[in-house]
Amino acid sequence: TPIKSSAASDVYKRQELLRRKIIMFEELPKDPMLLLSVINTKLRDYYPNLDLLCEELQIDSETLKKRLAEIDYEYDPEQNRFI
C-alpha cells in the first residue's frame, strides 16, 4: 500500500541522513581553526543552535566548547556562532 511504501521511504531517508551525519562527524577537522570554520558554517547554514548541531552530529557540546576555547572562541547563542 502507499502508506507502507511512504513509511519505508521515510525510514530509508532517516537512515541515509544518519549515515551522512556520522560521516560528517568523522570528518570534522582536528585543527582547531579549521574546526571553528566548519562548525560556524554548519551553524549558519543548517542548525538554529549549538545544541541541535551537537545532538545530530553526536558531539559533546562541552567538549566542543572547550576545544574552541583553547583558541579563545566561545559560543554566542544570540549570533549562533563561535566568536
Side-chain angles (χ1 to χ4, degrees), residues 17-28:
L17 185 58
L18 180 59
R19 185 187 69 77
R20 288 182 186 169
K21 288 176 187 171
I22 289 169
I23 290 170
M24 287 171 47
F25 175 71
E26 291 174 354
E27 293 179 354
L28 286 176

Side-chain angles (χ1 to χ4, degrees), residues 1-10:
T1 66
I3 292 174
K4 288 182 182 178
S5 176
S6 177
S9 177
D10 289 347

Side-chain angles (χ1 to χ4, degrees), residues 15-30 34-35 38-43 45-47 52-59 64 67:
Q15 288 173 338
E16 181 63 18
L17 185 58
L18 180 59
R19 185 187 69 77
R20 288 182 186 169
K21 288 176 187 171
I22 289 169
I23 290 170
M24 287 171 47
F25 175 71
E26 291 174 354
E27 293 179 354
L28 286 176
K30 305 298 182 224
L34 292 176
L35 177 64
V38 168
I39 294 298
N40 274 344
T41 299
K42 289 183 183 306
L43 287 168
D45 294 347
Y46 304 111
Y47 298 97
L52 185 58
L53 177 143
C54 290
E55 178 183 321
E56 290 194 3
L57 295 181
Q58 300 178 356
I59 302 170
L64 179 61
R67 184 133 177 245

